[in-house]
Amino acid sequence: MNTRRRILSITAVPLLALSMAACSSAAGDDGEGTVKIGVVGASDPYWATYTEAAKAEGIDVEILDFAEYTQPNPALTEGELDLNQFQHIVYLARYNVSSGEDLTPVGSTAIYPLGLYSTQYDSVEDIPEGATVAVPNDESNLARGLLVLQSAGLLTLDGGGSPFSTLEDIDEGKSKVKVTTLEASLTPTSLPDVAAAIVNNDFVEDAGLKAADAIAQDDPSDPAAIPYVNIFAARAGEETNETYVKLVEIYQDTQSVEDGVQEASGNTAEFLKVPVQDLKTSLAKVQKDIEALG
């Protein structure tokens, strides 16, 4: 598939005013061993392409699939994985704060739009007053989903909303729809029963949907979306591991991997190269904001 190359080089991540183990069996700096990487959606063909590209660089990679977003971080914490690649900065910040852990970014991959889908209505304008819309129930994707619904004119959030918005922040008197929450993998299967649903990128294709089917979505190029850049994550202190850094570079710089990611995402991925220190600074800022919220 021919895609236009879209890699943005970020030299500094804005400090946004967001209101945002066990011994490893990995290949270390000596290049020995197999690096275990946890993902959600290992069936996407680009992971096989990525594994082959890593092998060509002398790195053995094993991709381990997880069905739910709640699983890869604990697995990484416990040393069952060496890296994971499935989450954005906000999600990792929430995990670290809630668990007392200190997983850290190793490198950036891409920002993906979060889309609103419907099998009953062709536009948000067609959704009737009082209809129910489903959103993912994990905190970071819940907040982001609510912001998508607000930008689509379906609801109003107190104070304009933030990456920490919850159902309690919905101004029901000013909102067109009702919101229900479901585990992220279940929002696409809810489509026959709700007016529309926020569907995470990982589950769009498996649900028989296409990114182009979205009737609303957020804008990945908006600077306010930076906390939603997806990352490779490792245990603290391992972000400078030469093998891990090389694996990030392989993901970022291999055209066949990028083409596969674009195909899987409906050509919606915005690839980013963000310095690790800037990722860590942004993560620390989001974690501080979460802690301040109590």
Side-chain angles (χ1 to χ4, degrees), residues 59-246:
I59 306 172
D60 290 325
V61 169
E62 180 181 0
I63 303 297
L64 301 178
D65 195 25
F66 292 84
E68 298 180 3
Y69 292 127
T70 56
Q71 298 171 334
N73 278 333
L76 179 58
T77 297
E78 296 300 321
E80 298 169 11
L81 301 173
D82 304 302
L83 297 169
N84 65 38
Q85 200 289 109
F86 77 101
Q87 66 192 322
H88 45 56
I89 290 172
V90 174
Y91 191 95
L92 178 57
R94 288 189 181 277
Y95 171 77
N96 279 347
V97 171
S98 65
S99 66
E101 298 296 339
D102 56 356
L103 299 184
T104 189
V106 178
S108 60
T109 59
I111 287 181
Y112 301 88
L114 186 64
L116 178 69
Y117 296 81
S118 176
T119 56
Q120 302 179 46
Y121 304 102
D122 294 329
S123 70
V124 292
E125 290 78 16
D126 294 335
I127 295 176
E129 190 87 25
T132 297
V133 175
V135 300
N137 63 4
D138 61 275
E139 292 177 325
S140 57
N141 286 305
L142 167 60
R144 191 180 180 191
L146 294 177
L147 290 171
V148 171
L149 297 184
Q150 177 172 252
S151 67
L154 293 174
L155 58 76
T156 298
L157 296 168
D158 293 337
S162 77
F164 311 109
S165 293
T166 67
L167 296 182
E168 287 69 34
D169 295 312
I170 298 174
D171 186 332
E172 296 182 0
K174 297 180 180 179
S175 298
K176 182 179 181 181
V177 299
K178 298 177 181 178
V179 178
T180 188
T181 60
L182 296 170
E183 198 279 318
S185 65
L186 299 179
T187 62
T189 63
S190 75
L191 283 170
D193 304 311
V194 297
I198 295 289
V199 180
N200 287 73
N201 192 273
D202 288 320
F203 304 115
V204 169
E205 186 173 322
D206 290 344
L209 301 169
K210 298 179 181 179
D213 296 332
I215 59 176
Q217 65 182 31
D218 54 10
D219 181 5
S221 65
D222 187 334
I226 287 294
Y228 295 108
V229 61
N230 277 34
I231 57 174
F232 278 90
R235 289 177 290 278
E238 298 183 359
E239 64 270 23
T240 59
N241 180 302
E242 292 181 5
T243 299
Y244 299 171
V245 172
K246 182 63 178 178

